[in-house]
Amino acid sequence: MLPIAALVAASGEDGWSGFWDAVSSPQAVAALKLTLGASLVVAVVNAVLGTITAWVLVRDEFRGKAMMNAVIDLPFALPTIVAGLTLLALYGPRSPIGIDVAYTRAAIVLALMFVTLPFVVRTVQPVLQELDREMEQAAKSLGASEAKTFGRVILPNILPGILSGVALAFAKAVGEFGSLVIITGNLPYKTEVSSVYIFGRIESGDGTAAAAAAVVLLVISFGVLLSIGVIRHVTVRHDRA
Amino acid sequence: MRRLALRLVAIGYLLAILVGPLAIVFWRTFEDGFGSAWEALSDPDTVHAFELTLIITAIAVPVNTVFGIVCGLAIVRRSFPGKGLLNAFIDLPLALSPVVVGLALYLLYGRDGWFGGWLDRHDIQFLFALPSMIVATIFVSLPFVAREVIPTLREIGDEQEQAAHTLGASGWQTFWRITLPSIRWAVVYGVILTTARCLGEYGAVAVVSGRLQGQTETATLRVQEAYESFDVAGAYAISIVLALIAVTVLVLMTVIRPREERA
Amino acid sequence: MSIHVLNVSKSFGTFTALDDVSLEVEGGSLTALLGPSGSGKSTLLRIIAGLETPDSGEIRISGEDATTLEPQKRNVGFVFQHYAAFKHMTVRDNVAFGLKVRKRPKAEIRERVDELLRLVQLEAFGHRYPSQLSGGQRQRMALARALAPEPRVLLLDEPFGALDARVRSELREWLRRLHEQVHVTTIFVTHDQAEAMDVASQIAVMNHARIEQVGTPTELYDEPATEFVMSFVGEANRLGDGWVRPHELEIAHEPSVDAVEALVERITPYGFDARIDLTLADGRTVHVQMTRDRLDVLELARGEIVWVRPDRERVFAAAPTAA
């Protein structure tokens, strides 16, 4: 069972030129561009909002904080398809607040934000918790303002946490399928992401094209895993101070 | 002042993305009363879908639990060639698109696939049947137990195990009486995460199962099937059940996490 | 119950932990392995326990070759510096572990656990968990646990290192009394020479993977074999080429043969004794110990120039370089 990943790579090679044709087909390229673009946007948004959320959870005290902490894991617990449905309910045609983004690119971003929400929060939280308050106190006693303290003392220390969270979020977003199937309508060239494109190719029996696109996604996944490993490695060196 | 602003941003973020949508679905489902929801749930295809989901989960979770514990022990307590690779590999299912996973299985075991011929000859139905769905689910939910067990094992250190050895315990006795109890909360937490993942799996299973209505549809597949057949109430009803399970999982996670961290 | 270490060597990568070490431990004795960190003492202890295997050499327990025997089969009790308590078990279950693993009958286990808890004075804590005990109590539990299966040898690895000073000295006393009652061959590792001198009847001083000297506390103090032993066990001053103990120095107001000039830096009386810090011409500091009576007679003052002379001086042959 385990070497499946390796075998996918091999299976993708159903003819090298065939591979290239499949990968560069306009529909595949459009899907890929959309996937990468949306994932990038979501990753950045997550970096900011996720860090803020983690900050509030670690540094702030208020009633209901524990519940807030628990809610964050919802995307881990809820099936992706149900997530898509719930988003559709609030932001789709029968929306009670009048926002209808179904079948648009905004829907993609929305769905991806749902499924990737926990990642940055959960990677930054422990780092923020472990952060030595005395460092900040030292900076303040030396005259640094709140903003400066954050920028020069706190941020560099939580950056590895943010980065690995972003990497994980990006990887999840690129491969996301279930939550997008309903809300985006899967319109080719408009709202079709790579994973949906691949699925479409499989259902039409075009295994080669599907495999080719899959290999591209696989390479991206490996790339992300690698960068997470690198981040971890660099962090360890940092900690020894 | 800034504190309040940050707090509002965070809460707003969570409400808009997570809580709001979920609340709407709850409302919508029961808007038309309990009756229609119940009807949708007692549809034989839906019941079968839930059964299928449960069977798959009941197999995948124990398999991955054993795998997770064994791998965790091997990685933390032993050195062997390829250890780094195994460690990285465990994280792979988290970064892979489920559709890619499904495709891999499809190519491997499909009629033209590497193992396809062999399976055909022995008249074993893998794709478009339960076995492939189980395998797919096992793969995507692989990492969770291992990823909880590994840091816990690292933190605990092996002194207790050494002590057990000097007191005369054999390898197996040490494992049962000392190692396993000391990681039990990590294992429980990992099992909860694994179960949630199995219940919610969609992409990989969608590819390998062929989505044959009434035969190879899991609960998640059924939701989409229902929605596309304009049975919105049905889709919502199943979603509610899954959402309730998800909330239960969340509660369990919240309760168990501090115990896991304390260990 | 005797232990023989024969020409044991052990390296970890490029680091030599033990270099051809031999030691004889008499049955029923209480021996200390004393040395600074990195001297190899913990490694030696763990090799005796079977938690490490030597690269070369032999270990004999009660005359039998135990070099490659697993720890389970050696019947050796081991107490760790950080207790290694089974956190998920009660105190009773911890102590009973060695017996349960040997499948002894329940009644027997219960009796033995009761006996041991009484011995270590933890009878009231049987149903508590280790996290509810203080450090000293946890270590006593660890001792009871190690003693439960009636080991032939008891090994303790810096057993009081993680405890605070007062508890440490209490437990020291307590260990000595325990040994008098139980009489099992005991070896413990420590870097604290006062602890070793206080508790053990025989001390092996280790440095840089070798044993420098083995002897009773008095032998080590009065007749140190090497410079290292002299300076590590008890206080010692360097005077030119030789070494002198603080109480083997005489202070006088007038010069004499063998005496060197010194400046009185500090006079610290404490209890019955007094300690005088002197600075020599070459900048070195010398500590002198004398009785308060003698101090009164001398009428020393800070900043005064005096003459200090060794009563007894020791010179050591150049130690073989252990690179």
Side-chain angles (χ1 to χ4, degrees):
Chain A
M1 268 150 232
L2 305 184
I4 286 176
L7 289 168
V8 167
S11 320
E13 256 66 78
D14 287 323
W16 186 243
S17 60
F19 175 86
W20 192 247
D21 282 338
V23 165
S24 46
S25 89
Q27 195 180 354
V29 169
L32 191 63
K33 275 209 236 165
L34 187 57
T35 306
L36 290 176
S39 304
L40 219 58
V41 166
V42 168
V44 167
V45 169
N46 260 310
V48 174
L49 289 180
T51 307
I52 293 180
T53 312
W55 181 271
V56 169
L57 282 175
V58 174
R59 294 288 172 98
D60 208 349
E61 281 303 324
F62 53 89
R63 271 179 37 197
K65 185 168 94 151
M67 205 160 51
M68 183 166 144
N69 198 14
V71 163
I72 295 198
D73 286 322
L74 188 64
F76 280 148
L78 199 66
T80 49
I81 185 109
V82 175
L85 204 64
T86 63
L87 287 170
L88 193 65
L90 187 56
Y91 299 113
R94 286 175 64 198
S95 164
I97 55 174
I99 302 180
D100 183 0
V101 292
Y103 316 123
T104 69
R105 293 186 171 184
I108 299 179
V109 172
L110 201 58
L112 291 181
M113 273 181 66
F114 183 97
V115 297
T116 59
L117 190 131
F119 287 104
V120 173
V121 178
R122 289 300 186 221
T123 53
V124 172
Q125 242 182 316
V127 181
L128 212 48
Q129 213 139 12
E130 295 278 330
L131 206 61
D132 196 355
R133 294 297 214 126
E134 292 186 340
M135 269 198 293
E136 292 167 61
Q137 290 163 3
K140 297 221 181 106
S141 74
L142 289 164
S145 67
E146 283 277 359
K148 270 244 172 70
T149 312
F150 180 77
R152 283 175 181 269
V153 176
I154 300 179
L155 198 57
N157 276 290
I158 61 173
L159 201 58
I162 298 181
L163 287 179
S164 55
V166 162
L168 286 170
F170 185 75
K172 187 83 165 73
V174 162
E176 180 52 28
F177 181 69
S179 60
L180 296 170
V181 164
I182 292 186
I183 197 169
T184 64
N186 311 323
L187 310 166
Y189 299 107
K190 291 245 191 81
T191 62
E192 191 185 46
V193 294
S194 291
S195 56
V196 175
Y197 168 75
I198 295 175
F199 190 72
R201 293 291 94 210
I202 297 176
E203 301 242 292
S204 335
D206 189 355
T208 321
V215 167
V216 173
L217 285 190
L218 197 65
V219 166
I220 297 177
S221 294
F222 274 129
V224 169
L225 273 185
L226 217 75
S227 55
I228 296 179
V230 165
I231 294 175
R232 250 183 231 159
H233 195 76
V234 169
T235 320
V236 171
R237 267 195 300 139
H238 226 253
D239 278 342
R240 260 180 246 150
Chain B
M1 194 50 232
R2 172 181 313 120
R3 180 151 294 204
L4 197 61
L6 285 181
R7 203 189 292 178
L8 284 177
V9 167
I11 295 181
Y13 177 48
L14 294 179
L15 273 177
I17 304 284
L18 296 183
V19 181
L22 199 60
I24 298 295
V25 168
F26 270 91
W27 179 45
R28 275 281 155 70
T29 312
F30 300 118
E31 199 178 30
D32 305 320
F34 255 122
S36 54
W38 191 248
E39 237 181 75
L41 285 179
S42 33
D43 178 301
D45 283 345
T46 306
V47 171
H48 180 80
F50 274 113
E51 277 173 8
L52 219 54
T53 303
L54 285 174
I55 294 176
I56 296 176
T57 307
I59 297 180
V61 169
V63 167
N64 278 329
T65 306
V66 170
F67 174 78
I69 296 178
V70 168
C71 265
L73 282 172
I75 289 180
V76 179
R77 299 271 185 262
R78 301 280 151 103
S79 29
F80 52 88
K83 181 160 94 155
L85 221 63
L86 182 62
N87 204 0
F89 182 79
I90 291 184
D91 280 336
L92 188 62
L94 289 174
L96 268 185
S97 170
V99 173
V100 172
V101 172
L103 180 62
L105 284 174
Y106 185 83
L107 291 172
L108 259 187
Y109 298 102
R111 204 156 306 135
D112 311 314
W114 291 30
F115 295 151
W118 187 86
L119 287 170
D120 240 0
R121 268 176 276 129
H122 293 257
D123 214 18
I124 301 176
Q125 179 73 340
F126 186 74
L127 280 183
F128 313 126
L130 198 54
S132 62
M133 294 160 74
I134 296 178
V135 170
T137 310
I138 289 180
F139 189 78
V140 299
S141 58
L142 200 74
F144 297 103
V145 173
R147 273 163 59 100
E148 294 301 321
V149 165
I150 288 176
T152 308
L153 275 177
R154 278 218 180 101
E155 238 192 83
I156 292 181
D158 65 347
E159 264 200 358
Q160 288 184 45
E161 287 156 25
Q162 284 177 28
H165 285 154
T166 62
L167 288 162
S170 69
W172 184 247
Q173 281 173 322
T174 308
F175 173 74
W176 257 128
R177 291 172 182 267
I178 305 298
T179 316
L180 205 52
S182 61
I183 56 171
R184 67 181 184 281
W185 290 118
V187 171
V188 168
Y189 194 73
V191 164
I192 294 176
L193 292 177
T194 311
T195 310
R197 186 73 178 88
C198 288
L199 290 172
E201 173 48 31
Y202 180 76
V205 172
V207 171
V208 300
S209 67
R211 298 191 289 158
L212 307 170
Q213 192 174 352
Q215 287 183 321
T216 61
E217 271 187 334
T218 58
T220 48
L221 291 176
R222 189 101 184 96
V223 168
Q224 198 232 358
E225 161 76 35
Y227 189 80
E228 280 182 359
S229 333
F230 301 106
D231 178 13
V232 177
Y236 276 177
I238 306 176
S239 298
I240 286 292
V241 174
L242 291 172
L244 283 172
I245 298 179
V247 170
T248 314
V249 166
L250 268 191
V251 169
L252 282 175
M253 277 168 76
T254 315
V255 164
I256 306 247
R257 197 184 301 131
R259 276 179 227 207
E260 191 222 355
E261 276 161 16
R262 220 188 305 139
Chain C
M1 292 211 292
S2 65
I3 300 180
H4 290 263
V5 177
L6 298 155
N7 304 103
V8 162
S9 296
K10 175 82 180 171
S11 298
F12 294 101
T14 52
F15 176 69
T16 311
L18 292 171
D19 187 2
D20 195 27
V21 167
S22 298
L23 180 68
E24 213 180 287
V25 177
E26 228 178 82
S29 64
L30 181 51
T31 304
L33 297 179
L34 174 67
S37 37
S39 54
K41 52 196 199 300
S42 279
T43 310
L44 182 57
L45 196 76
R46 293 170 66 89
I47 287 182
I48 297 175
L51 294 169
E52 307 266 5
T53 25
D55 296 335
S56 62
E58 244 182 80
I59 303 281
R60 291 179 170 274
I61 302 183
S62 296
E64 294 161 16
D65 185 357
T67 319
T68 47
L69 211 54
E70 312 157 327
Q72 287 91 326
K73 306 241 174 68
R74 293 194 191 201
N75 206 5
V76 165
F78 201 96
V79 176
F80 295 78
Q81 183 176 10
H82 296 283
Y83 330 122
F86 300 143
K87 296 191 199 139
H88 55 286
M89 294 185 191
T90 62
V91 168
R92 286 195 73 93
D93 287 333
N94 261 277
V95 174
F97 185 79
L99 301 167
K100 285 204 189 146
V101 150
R102 286 168 174 74
K103 317 249 172 68
R104 317 295 303 159
K106 284 210 183 138
E108 184 187 320
I109 295 182
R110 212 178 335 123
E111 243 183 76
R112 183 107 176 99
V113 170
D114 285 338
E115 185 191 328
L116 283 159
L117 288 181
R118 240 175 295 136
L119 183 69
V120 300
Q121 289 153 334
L122 285 175
E123 310 105 295
F125 296 89
H127 295 285
R128 300 252 186 115
Y129 283 88
S131 55
Q132 296 168 300
L133 300 177
S134 70
Q137 290 168 329
R138 273 182 230 175
Q139 203 57 300
R140 282 169 18 220
M141 178 197 81
L143 256 150
R145 181 177 74 181
L147 288 172
E150 291 179 65
R152 300 184 280 176
V153 180
L154 183 62
L155 304 173
L156 304 107
D157 191 355
E158 308 231 28
F160 311 133
L163 304 166
D164 68 51
R166 200 185 56 112
V167 182
R168 222 183 297 164
S169 61
E170 273 175 17
L171 282 183
R172 245 194 258 175
E173 167 79 30
W174 187 87
L175 179 64
R176 221 197 358 223
R177 266 188 279 126
L178 184 73
H179 183 255
E180 278 164 31
Q181 271 184 281
V182 178
H183 276 308
V184 67
T185 314
T186 307
I187 306 180
F188 75 98
V189 158
T190 179
H191 61 270
D192 183 349
Q193 54 99 23
E195 187 169 288
M197 303 278 275
D198 200 18
V199 183
S201 53
Q202 178 185 261
I203 303 179
V205 180
M206 294 186 68
N207 186 33
H208 284 142
R210 299 239 177 94
I211 294 186
E212 300 236 346
Q213 185 177 2
V214 182
T216 67
T218 321
E219 281 167 16
L220 291 175
Y221 190 79
D222 287 343
E223 327 274 341
T226 67
E227 239 177 59
F228 177 77
V229 177
M230 171 107 196
S231 58
F232 197 78
V233 180
E235 249 202 278
N237 294 297
R238 200 93 213 249
L239 215 58
D241 261 346
W243 291 81
V244 208
R245 296 265 184 231
H247 53 83
E248 291 168 344
L249 287 164
E250 269 288 334
I251 299 184
H253 291 283
E254 299 87 28
S256 61
V257 182
D258 311 337
V260 282
E261 206 178 337
L263 175 72
V264 178
E265 277 285 349
R266 213 168 149 218
I267 303 174
T268 321
Y270 52 92
F272 182 71
D273 290 323
R275 174 189 164 105
I276 298 99
D277 299 337
L278 303 171
T279 315
L280 299 178
D282 59 12
R284 240 190 292 185
T285 316
V286 163
H287 305 292
V288 181
Q289 191 182 352
M290 64 175 63
T291 63
R292 292 281 298 279
D293 288 344
R294 179 97 191 101
L295 178 66
D296 290 340
V297 164
L298 278 177
E299 286 181 14
L300 291 174
R302 264 195 78 188
E304 202 184 321
I305 300 286
V306 293
W307 297 89
V308 65
R309 182 183 66 84
D311 249 352
R312 176 187 176 179
E313 198 175 331
R314 276 172 257 263
V315 179
F316 297 99
T321 35

